[in-house]
């Protein structure tokens, strides 16, 4: 059964006189892993920020689980949205365990529950708790720090997780490892909606069950990776695919 969980209805966003998003309409269903693909400045981050209430639309409506976002308690809402970004901003003076525990602590979880959850999460992101829980962020590689970013975003079991180009700064091999992790984690958790922003077409096609291609604040195509590759809807999408000739092969390679 599909249940609409994030809906944009005629959303418009301007910063001063600069209209960034003219009229955005889409529906994301519960449990989907959607990637948003677009070049720099196309409005990807702005879209994510309107989903977790950091920005308000200038016009139109954002609905979360059927509720207009402006009628929701934003503090509550953000706690229910994991957020993973490139500069994950781990606190340098806190251990990995303490970093992951920030929100659970804020919510008043007891020590035992927190410790159990930290161990669970470290295992989920494939880092041995006995080895890593008591280290400090600067004692981890960039890829490992991003894993902590993912663990931290999942700490209080949010139904939504937003990723904003989290792996942009990593080398290709580490990046592929983490993409696989995200996919595996999404499959292993029930009904979690993941929204993953990237400007890397291979990442978008590999990770997304559906891919939203954005250009200048508008959707060029929102479809499965297979449809995007075999039936590009606009000349923009065609050109995007043309930038890397092997995309179709790559997509097959990943999905076979
Ligand atoms: N706070 C702001 N004030 C003014 N303009 C802004 C603000 N935030 C974003 N913009 C503008 O909105 C447009 C879209 O920005 P956005 O950050 O959503 O792009 P993006 O798709 O995430 O790009 P990137 O891939 O570089 O992160 C850009 O032209 C940007 O300059
Ligand atoms: Mg951005």
């Amino acid at each position: 059964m599909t249940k609409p969980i994030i809906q944009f209805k005629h959303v418009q966003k301007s910063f001063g006189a600069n209209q960034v998003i003219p009229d955005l309409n889409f529906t994301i269903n519960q449990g989907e892993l959607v990637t948003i693909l677009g070049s720099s400045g196309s409005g990807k981050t702005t879209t994510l920020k309107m989903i977790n209430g950091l920005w308000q639309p200038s016009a139109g409506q954002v609905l979360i689980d059927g509720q207009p976002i402006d009628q929701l308690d934003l503090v509550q809402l953000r706690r229910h949205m994991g957020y993973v970004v490139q500069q994950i901003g781990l606190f340098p003076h806190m251990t990995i365990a303490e970093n992951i525990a920030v929100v659970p602590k804020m919510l008043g979880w007891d020590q035992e529950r927190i410790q159990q959850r930290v161990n669970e999460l470290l295992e989920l992101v494939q880092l041995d708790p006995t080895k890593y829980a008591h280290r400090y962020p600067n004692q981890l590689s960039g890829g490992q720090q991003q894993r902590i970013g993912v663990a931290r975003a999942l700490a209080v079991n949010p139904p939504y997780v937003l990723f904003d180009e989290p792996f942009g700064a990593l080398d290709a091999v580490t990046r592929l490892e983490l993409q696989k992790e995200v996919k595996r984690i999404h499959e292993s958790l029930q009904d979690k909606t993941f929204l993953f922003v990237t400007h890397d077409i291979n990442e978008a096609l590999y990770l997304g069950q559906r891919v939203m291609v954005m250009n200048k604040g508008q959707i060029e195509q929102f479809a499965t990776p297979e449809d995007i590759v075999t039936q590009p809807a606009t000349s923009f999408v065609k050109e995007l695919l043309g930038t890397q000739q092997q995309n179709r092969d790559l997509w097959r390679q990943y999905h076979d």
Side-chain angles (χ1 to χ4, degrees):
M1 254 207 24
T2 52
K3 180 185 177 200
I5 202 88
I6 300 169
Q7 288 169 284
F8 273 45
K9 293 186 172 173
H10 298 294
V11 167
Q12 194 253 103
K13 179 69 185 169
S14 301
F15 294 104
N18 182 18
Q19 192 186 57
V20 173
I21 290 174
D23 182 16
L24 193 57
N25 297 281
F26 64 81
T27 298
I28 290 168
N29 297 310
Q30 185 173 34
E32 275 195 293
L33 200 178
V34 167
T35 48
I36 304 182
L37 172 66
S39 48
S40 184
S42 56
K44 305 181 298 295
T45 297
T46 306
T47 302
L48 281 196
K49 287 184 173 172
M50 287 194 283
I51 294 170
N52 74 2
L54 273 173
W55 295 133
Q56 305 215 319
S58 310
Q61 211 171 32
V62 176
L63 300 166
I64 304 293
D65 201 4
Q67 304 257 60
I69 200 169
D70 50 11
Q71 289 170 26
L72 298 173
D73 176 343
L74 286 184
V75 176
Q76 279 284 70
L77 177 77
R78 271 180 222 138
R79 279 187 193 147
H80 286 89
M81 300 237 179
Y83 205 16
V84 190
V85 294
Q86 193 172 307
Q87 282 78 32
I88 47 174
L90 294 176
F91 298 110
H93 58 287
M94 288 186 189
T95 64
I96 295 309
E98 287 165 345
N99 265 286
I100 295 174
V102 169
V103 177
K105 226 175 196 167
M106 216 157 70
L107 297 181
W109 291 20
D110 64 55
Q111 205 46 48
E112 199 180 328
R113 186 174 171 207
I114 289 180
Q115 203 181 338
Q116 201 184 335
R117 184 66 181 148
V118 166
N119 289 342
E120 254 173 44
L121 287 162
L122 284 173
E123 273 161 20
L124 185 71
V125 298
Q126 315 268 23
L127 292 173
D128 179 357
T130 56
K131 237 168 123 181
Y132 292 97
H134 302 293
R135 289 202 196 173
Y136 288 88
N138 67 2
Q139 298 171 315
L140 264 57
S141 72
Q144 289 167 339
Q145 290 187 33
Q146 286 309 113
R147 284 175 195 262
I148 302 306
V150 174
R152 191 180 56 178
L154 291 165
V156 297
N157 209 15
Y160 319 88
V161 187
L162 312 178
F163 299 83
D164 196 348
E165 307 210 31
F167 309 146
L170 303 175
D171 65 86
V173 174
T174 309
R175 194 167 174 157
L176 184 58
E177 260 171 37
L178 281 163
Q179 289 164 358
K180 286 184 181 156
E181 283 306 299
V182 167
K183 213 167 167 143
R184 188 185 57 76
I185 289 169
H186 180 259
E187 278 163 13
S188 75
L189 302 169
Q190 283 250 304
D191 281 341
K192 299 266 184 255
T193 309
F194 280 18
L195 222 62
F196 192 108
V197 160
T198 179
H199 58 246
D200 176 337
I201 183 160
N202 292 322
E203 187 166 69
L205 293 173
Y206 171 60
L207 272 180
Q209 294 169 329
R210 286 197 297 156
V211 181
M212 185 189 296
V213 183
M214 279 186 91
N215 177 33
K216 297 182 183 151
Q218 286 169 310
I219 295 179
E220 295 277 338
Q221 189 168 8
F222 188 13
T224 62
E226 186 164 28
D227 280 354
I228 301 253
V229 171
T230 57
Q231 301 163 49
T234 66
S235 54
F236 180 84
V237 179
K238 268 185 210 143
E239 267 168 43
L240 200 66
L241 290 165
T243 56
Q244 292 191 16
Q245 303 249 315
Q246 330 85 318
N247 276 317
R248 191 184 299 230
D249 297 340
L250 261 176
W251 185 82
R252 292 243 162 79
Q253 199 178 310
Y254 283 140
H255 285 78
D256 284 345

